[in-house]
Structure formats: C-alpha cells, structure tokens
Amino acid sequence: NAGVTQTPKFQVLKTGQSMTLQCAQDMNHEYMSWYRQDPGMGLRLIHYSVGAGITDQGEVPNGYNVSRSTTEDFPLRLLSAAPSQTSVYFCASTAQRRNTEAFFGQGTRLTVV
Amino acid sequence: AQKITQTQPGMFVQEKEAVTLDCTYDTSDPSYGLFWYKQPSSGEMIFLIYQGSYDQQNATEGRYSLNFQKARKSANLVISASQLGDSAMYFCAMRGRTGANNLFFGTGTRLTVIP
C-alpha cells in the first residue's frame, strides 16, 4: 500500500519559474491538504480539499494554486516562484471520520534561488 | 482562535528513561482532537497518538501515552523507556475548524536520546 506519494522529493527553481508538486493517495480518502514546513514554525496549511472539485484556502495560500479533479490526486502549483517559497512541502490525506489521523507524503524540499 | 504551544525547543533524555514533552492548546470549540507526530531526521511525519476532547481515558499506544488534562488545556506526550531511535522532532497538533480535518501544529520539540 503506497499511501501518499509526493513527487519530486527535491527541486531547485529560479525566481519566476513555475512548477507543480504532485500528490497522489491510494486510500480513497476524501480530504487532502498541502502544508509547508519552515524552520522553527511547524507545519502551516496552504490549501485543502474536501472532495473532488472542491478546494479552499488555508493559512498561507498566496502564491499557490490547487485543483482536485479526482479523489486520488491533489497537485500544488507555484505560479511564479519566489525565494520566500523555499520550504519543505507536505501533502496529507485524511478520511472523513473526525477521530482519524492524517497520512503524510514524504515531503518535497524546494529551493528557490 | 486556535493555538498550540510547545515551550521546549529541545530536550535530552537518557536511554531507557521516560520523558515528557509538553503541549498546551487553546480553542473555543467544545469538540476537538489532539495529535502527536514524530519527524525523524529523514523528514517523514509519523503519527504517534490521538486524544479526543470527549475521551474519558488518556490515550496510550505502546511506549507512548498522552497525559490529557482538559481543565489545564494540556496534552503532554510521555515516552517510556526511551530508545536511541526516539531521537527526532515531535509535533503536537490540533484538528482545525475547517471541514477537512486539517491540523494546526505547534513549533515542535527536538528530543535527543543519550546512550
């Protein structure tokens, strides 16, 4: 069982470039989310989705877009990368039950130069 | 507003000893969930334990237990019989108000187990 799969694991971008971080889950979870982790700040919510076709903003959404065309996939798009977006990005999926844990992908370490 | 506070940036524990990692929270919701995750140096997020606000008993999972004191709004993680593999970052998190079971994280505690 693969769980939550993120690609790529590492990426270096130049300022102004765009890219998509891929996330796929095979647990048939309704909920998926993107977080970023910066030193000393824990994980912060970027965007999330409660199901196919439904997305919403989290705590730090600026500079990012998401879409959810299928239950399995939840890509995160950086439209014009900035050095402030240098971070580790985690995708997570959760079942609908309230007392269940989130399953995280392995993370993507992104550096914007 | 929801808030998670972890006041210990770093902790040291001798191998085979027990250690408590502190977590306090603030929320106005009567129903909430508290989670602990472990992040080893390899970077992945590993779920450890969950406590619901209405749970009557403190949660336990193997060597992990959660000391839940609702009136004090604290949810401390207790690791018994520490092992070298327990050296990692530990994050306390609260289930958020959004409709997707999202988590609101503390800043973490780095635990180092000394042989």
Side-chain angles (χ1 to χ4, degrees), chain A residues 1 20 41 47 51 54 67 75 85 94 103:
Chain A
N1 214 355
T20 300
M41 298 187 72
H47 284 286
I54 306 170
S67 61
Q85 294 178 304
T94 317
F103 293 82

Side-chain angles (χ1 to χ4, degrees), chain A residues 31 33 35 37 95 97-98 102, chain B residues 37 39 43 95 99 101-103:
Chain A
Y31 300 158
S33 306
Y35 297 84
Q37 183 179 21
R97 300 188 319 274
R98 293 284 281 167
Chain B
Y37 281 83
Q39 186 178 44
R95 187 181 60 231
N101 288 345
N102 292 312
L103 297 173

